Amino acid sequence: MNVEEPWYIKDLKLDSISKNLDIWLDFRRGSKFPCSKCGKPNCPAYDTKEKVLRHINYFQYSTYLHCRVPRVKCSNCGVLQIRVPWARELSHFTLQMEATILELAKKMPVLQAGNFLGEEDKKLWRVIHHYVDEARSKEDFSDVSVIGTDETSRKKGHNYLTIVADFEDSKVIFACEGKDSSTITSFSEDLQNHNGDPSNIRKVCCDMSPSYISGISTELPNAEITFDKFHVMQAMNESVNEVRIEEQKKIRNSKIPNSYGLQKRKI
Ligand SMILES: [Zn+2]
């Protein structure tokens, strides 16, 4: 964890019954810290607040970090809590634990990751939202010009999400609830909030939904629509099937020979 001066490990306790490892960190008396807002060095400690953070497991032991986090008195900014090198402010976890949560969340449902780590999933969601929001705020969509959009259902029932992907980057760039034309309006607004330009979108691949077609025509003026091959084939197979069912009904209801030239007869 690279615990550096003025921090030091004050105590450790390995409990073989509860399977917990507790580590107490503290700082040397009289230490001074930089202000977390303006960076002014050598601010004296004003008071401290005890914090307990979950760290990555030490073998099978759940590891907890206990530490007195100081607030400092900065002559520019007033009294503020300092930044510690192993955790982000307001988080219940160390940075290493947060990195583990993000890795697990890529590979399994968050509830399952929470069960695996022995933590409530809502705490994991807070970490995921924080880093996803931070990463999205830095996205630059100024080069996006070829996209694909489709709907997917969320949970059970008709709870839809619209997903937009940048086809040249093979990356999902937008998602929102619903599947009507307003989803394309929301995408267009989000694109502009990330340096993108709706008139730069040249090609859109989508299904044959009138809502998407209408949204694209209104919001993405220079976009040429290509219907997704999967949806075209799906519609074609459904139509062929309908014709087959209709033909079977006709054969059953009439005495004319079926397509194999065989007369239906009673046995
Ligand atoms: Zn300051």
Side-chain angles (χ1 to χ4, degrees), residues 34-40 43 72-78 80:
C35 168
S36 58
K37 193 173 175 189
C38 72
K40 184 173 182 278
C43 299
V72 293
K73 194 167 187 179
C74 170
S75 55
N76 301 328
C77 316
L80 291 169

Side-chain angles (χ1 to χ4, degrees), residues 83-125:
R83 278 198 203 102
V84 289
W86 50 82
R88 149 178 94 75
E89 200 184 348
L90 303 177
S91 177
H92 295 280
F93 305 107
T94 61
L95 292 174
Q96 285 189 28
M97 184 65 170
E98 289 191 333
T100 305
I101 290 168
L102 295 179
E103 278 306 309
L104 290 177
K106 286 185 205 167
K107 298 180 173 63
M108 62 177 77
V110 175
L111 183 64
Q112 205 178 332
N115 291 340
F116 176 71
L117 296 168
E119 293 289 343
E120 284 178 80
D121 63 322
K122 67 178 181 189
K123 285 187 185 170
L124 272 60
W125 275 116

Side-chain angles (χ1 to χ4, degrees), residues 80-248:
L80 291 169
Q81 187 177 298
I82 67 152
R83 278 198 203 102
V84 289
W86 50 82
R88 149 178 94 75
E89 200 184 348
L90 303 177
S91 177
H92 295 280
F93 305 107
T94 61
L95 292 174
Q96 285 189 28
M97 184 65 170
E98 289 191 333
T100 305
I101 290 168
L102 295 179
E103 278 306 309
L104 290 177
K106 286 185 205 167
K107 298 180 173 63
M108 62 177 77
V110 175
L111 183 64
Q112 205 178 332
N115 291 340
F116 176 71
L117 296 168
E119 293 289 343
E120 284 178 80
D121 63 322
K122 67 178 181 189
K123 285 187 185 170
L124 272 60
W125 275 116
R126 266 186 231 133
V127 174
I128 295 163
H129 281 303
H130 170 79
Y131 287 104
V132 168
D133 289 349
E134 188 181 78
R136 278 211 98 236
S137 70
K138 293 174 187 163
E139 287 281 21
D140 178 48
F141 296 153
S142 52
D143 289 338
V144 174
S145 63
V146 181
I147 59 167
T149 183
D150 201 2
E151 91 241 2
T152 183
S153 56
R154 174 171 166 249
K155 297 181 183 170
K156 283 179 184 167
H158 298 283
N159 203 342
Y160 291 101
L161 290 178
T162 289
I163 313 276
V164 179
D166 176 358
F167 274 9
E168 288 177 315
D169 223 5
S170 300
K171 181 177 160 185
V172 172
I173 56 171
F174 178 78
C176 69
E177 287 186 17
K179 57 170 188 169
D180 58 18
S181 63
S182 72
T183 58
I184 306 297
T185 308
S186 305
F187 164 67
S188 171
E189 286 166 4
D190 188 71
L191 186 73
Q192 291 170 77
N193 289 338
H194 293 89
N195 304 325
D197 181 350
S199 60
N200 281 352
I201 306 293
R202 291 182 292 107
K203 292 180 182 178
V204 183
C205 181
C206 63
D207 64 13
M208 286 165 280
S209 141
S211 308
Y212 285 155
I213 296 168
S214 148
I216 292 163
S217 313
T218 316
E219 301 291 340
L220 310 174
N222 298 325
E224 193 177 78
I225 296 175
T226 302
F227 292 132
D228 184 331
K229 187 168 72 177
F230 170 80
H231 290 102
V232 173
M233 289 309 293
Q234 192 182 35
M236 203 161 110
N237 285 336
E238 279 169 9
S239 300
V240 169
N241 210 26
E242 274 171 30
V243 172
R244 273 201 203 110
I245 291 167
E246 206 51 46
E247 277 187 352
Q248 286 300 317

Side-chain angles (χ1 to χ4, degrees), residues 6-8 10 23-31 33 45-53 65-71 81-86:
W7 295 97
Y8 66 98
K10 190 180 177 188
I23 303 172
W24 282 267
L25 288 176
D26 207 345
F27 58 91
R28 311 272 177 214
R29 185 179 282 272
S31 300
F33 301 90
Y46 178 79
D47 59 6
T48 59
K49 193 175 178 190
E50 183 83 23
K51 283 192 87 173
V52 184
L53 302 171
L65 215 64
H66 304 252
C67 115
R68 289 192 306 134
V69 181
R71 290 198 304 165
Q81 187 177 298
I82 67 152
R83 278 198 203 102
V84 289
W86 50 82

